[in-house]
Amino acid sequence: SKTEAAAQVRPAPRELPTVAVNWGEIESLDKLLNIAQTMFPPCILNLVNTLTRGENLTHHQRFALATFLIKLGDVYKRQVLKLFSFSPDFSEKIARYQIEHLAGLRGSKKRYLVYSCATMKALGMCVAECGIKNPLLYPRRVSKNLLGNKNSVG
């Protein structure tokens, strides 16, 4: 349920996800929200948390979140609509069209890119200095850091 999924977003993660996240196995909104806690950059996690609290996102925030999730893979595309259903002004018909448009499936067939970190900063969506140039690089950096820490311990 939406309430259960939102409740999972707020607390700190109980455990870190496996280092090699298999993005193709994210088949539920609950799994997406759980992995978001560790694997999503702070700017995107902030948007996820805002949305799951039932607050509206601005046009640019919706664009940033949708393009990020779409670029992670086909399985995420199925979860984007579910995530956006938390929005107070949610319309499935409109949201589905917009998501499909961003993914290049409708309209101009252009696949939209994720905002760069510079653009996220200019739009006031950056909430932490991550040392990356694009939010899509964050999951790779987290995985690399977890792998490095795991190797140094053993």
Side-chain angles (χ1 to χ4, degrees):
S1 79
K2 287 183 186 180
T3 306
E4 291 168 354
Q8 287 186 354
V9 172
R10 292 191 186 116
R14 290 176 215 96
E15 60 186 63
L16 294 175
T18 57
V19 173
V21 173
N22 184 347
W23 301 108
E25 292 181 0
I26 309 304
E27 298 170 352
S28 73
L29 184 57
D30 289 340
K31 285 184 182 179
L32 171 70
L33 295 175
N34 189 38
I35 287 187
Q37 296 301 311
T38 305
M39 300 301 289
F40 286 9
C43 57
I44 299 296
L45 180 59
N46 183 54
L47 298 178
V48 169
N49 289 339
T50 299
L51 194 57
T52 57
R53 284 192 306 266
E55 298 174 29
N56 274 319
L57 297 179
T58 67
H59 170 75
H60 287 296
Q61 290 172 322
R62 291 174 197 230
F63 180 96
L65 180 57
T67 54
F68 177 83
L69 293 172
I70 289 165
K71 290 293 183 183
L72 286 180
D74 290 334
V75 173
Y76 275 94
K77 290 177 194 171
R78 294 194 292 263
Q79 304 310 321
V80 177
L81 192 62
K82 291 179 186 176
L83 184 59
F84 276 92
S85 73
F86 283 94
S87 182
D89 65 353
F90 178 72
S91 163
E92 183 173 349
K93 183 178 178 182
I94 292 170
R96 182 179 305 279
Y97 176 83
Q98 291 172 336
I99 292 163
E100 290 175 356
H101 184 78
L102 292 174
L105 302 173
R106 289 185 178 246
S108 65
K109 305 288 186 186
K110 175 183 177 180
R111 295 180 67 180
Y112 289 83
L113 300 175
V114 178
Y115 287 143
S116 68
C117 289
T119 300
M120 295 289 279
K121 287 176 185 173
L123 293 171
M125 288 189 273
C126 180
V127 296
E129 184 54 56
C130 304
I132 55 175
K133 294 184 179 185
N134 188 293
L136 285 172
L137 299 174
Y138 191 86
R140 187 178 315 146
R141 174 170 286 177
V142 170
S143 291
K144 185 177 173 183
N145 288 344
L146 289 173
L147 183 60
N149 290 342
K150 190 174 185 178
N151 287 341
S152 64
V153 172

